[in-house]
Amino acid sequence: MSEQVTRTFAIIKPDAVRAGNAGNIIQRINDHGFKIVAMKLIHMSRPVAEGFYAVHRERPFFGELVEFMTSGPSVVLGLEKANAQPAWRDLMGPTDATKAPKGTIRGDFGTSMGENATHGSDSPENALIELSYFFNATEFVA
Ligand code: CMP
């Protein structure tokens, strides 16, 4: 795999912010060599959460997902690193926090499939789409 520096999109979800774990998760992001190129604290509205997760609209968990993502503030981030998208997915661990190994972010800070502490884009193509959903060009540092 090439070592091209790329960007991915991340969310520190409402469960992790509520539990006071945003700082710990940002520390891990730094410790693992990601450069934070964009970051803000937001409280997602229902339309914003529904639009972001539109691909899951027909899934049985969609209502629960939107309810959760609008339940409190979250931190949205742009992360840069060699192969950032898979690297961030590796650091997070599997989606279901109950199956995520200790030492991964979801294993340490998530509690369930839904309340899994963080989000990461599932492909480099989606990373660019998701970054532009939450950030304007002027919100990225050089
Ligand atoms: P995320 O990486 O944010 O992408 C979609 C989210 O949907 C996922 O993390 C989970 O939090 C959530 N999700 C996926 N499957 C389920 C499920 N079976 N029940 C509840 N939430 C789910």
Side-chain angles (χ1 to χ4, degrees):
M1 194 187 275
S2 81
E3 287 296 294
Q4 197 184 356
V5 173
T6 57
R7 290 178 175 179
T8 195
F9 175 71
I11 306 175
I12 302 173
K13 294 186 178 186
D15 58 330
V17 173
R18 211 163 15 245
N21 288 325
N24 291 324
I25 293 171
I26 291 168
Q27 186 70 56
R28 291 211 188 176
I29 289 170
N30 289 330
D31 290 347
H32 284 78
F34 291 89
K35 179 182 176 189
I36 297 173
V37 293
M39 179 165 76
K40 56 190 174 187
L41 179 71
I42 62 167
H43 190 149
M44 282 188 211
S45 66
R46 180 166 287 273
V48 166
E50 287 178 347
F52 180 69
Y53 283 118
V55 67
H56 296 305
R57 188 174 288 279
E58 303 306 323
R59 304 280 196 97
F61 59 82
F62 183 71
E64 185 187 322
L65 176 59
V66 169
E67 209 50 50
F68 167 58
M69 292 303 291
T70 58
S71 69
S74 48
V75 180
V76 290
L77 307 102
L79 305 180
E80 196 172 85
K81 192 182 171 165
N83 299 317
Q85 183 270 323
W88 173 237
R89 297 270 289 196
D90 283 351
L91 183 56
M92 287 195 300
T95 305
D96 184 349
T98 66
K99 297 195 169 69
K102 287 293 165 202
T104 65
I105 289 175
R106 285 167 166 165
D108 292 346
F109 301 115
T111 50
S112 66
M113 177 71 97
E115 304 211 357
N116 59 355
T118 52
H119 166 82
S121 309
D122 64 3
S123 69
E125 296 73 27
N126 281 339
L128 298 180
I129 293 167
E130 293 182 354
L131 284 166
S132 63
Y133 189 80
F134 283 103
F135 295 107
N136 297 319
T138 56
E139 293 178 296
F140 291 94
V141 299

